[in-house]
Amino acid sequence: MTNYDEYESPLAHRYASREIKKIFSPRERASTWRKLWLWLAEAEQDLGLNQITDKALKGLRSNLIVSDEAFQVIAKEERIRRHDVMSHIFALEKDVPDAAGIIHIGATSCY
């Protein structure tokens, strides 16, 4: 377990269960974003967006859990971009080059 696998807060140490700290951990949050981006891309492909390929979807499916190495890329990119969502998108595009340009397409930062 790394520090990406457990939510950290002064109150979490005292009051939160292990399960709750995992649910709100950086890895779980970022992996949830990746699942949402996959589901969005699948729905957009179903609606006829031709730039979303089966190869891109396969790559997204195989990279749903954010690696420790990806977190290092995310941290570096966030220092440059000053935008958490864009940093995560950039890191996922490095993990899945076939999905570059289609991750988060058509969505706002609130998605």
Side-chain angles (χ1 to χ4, degrees):
M1 182 181 294
T2 69
N3 60 339
Y4 303 121
D5 296 308
E6 190 172 280
Y7 177 69
E8 294 181 14
S9 121
L11 298 177
H13 176 70
R14 181 175 289 164
Y15 300 111
S17 68
R18 172 172 265 127
E19 293 81 12
I20 290 296
K21 289 190 277 187
K22 181 180 183 299
I23 289 169
F24 288 95
S25 71
R27 189 177 321 277
E28 195 70 23
R29 178 186 63 149
S31 296
T32 298
W33 285 357
R34 288 186 176 199
K35 290 173 193 170
L36 289 168
W37 293 330
L38 168 64
W39 297 334
L40 176 63
E42 288 172 336
E44 290 172 331
Q45 186 190 51
D46 288 345
L47 291 171
L49 268 72
N50 295 329
Q51 70 248 49
I52 300 173
T53 65
D54 291 336
K55 190 174 181 182
L57 294 178
K58 182 179 178 183
L60 291 174
R61 285 186 196 102
S62 65
N63 284 279
L64 292 177
I65 306 300
V66 181
S67 67
D68 288 355
E69 294 79 17
F71 274 114
Q72 293 172 2
V73 172
I74 291 163
K76 178 184 172 204
E77 288 302 316
E78 192 160 352
R79 285 190 297 275
I80 295 167
R81 298 172 191 278
R82 311 280 300 152
H83 194 288
D84 59 344
V85 175
M86 287 306 300
S87 299
H88 281 266
I89 290 169
F90 181 85
L92 183 52
E93 288 178 342
K94 286 190 85 165
D95 288 341
V96 187
D98 291 318
I102 63 129
I103 300 165
H104 201 277
I105 192 170
T108 66
S109 291
C110 294
Y111 175 76

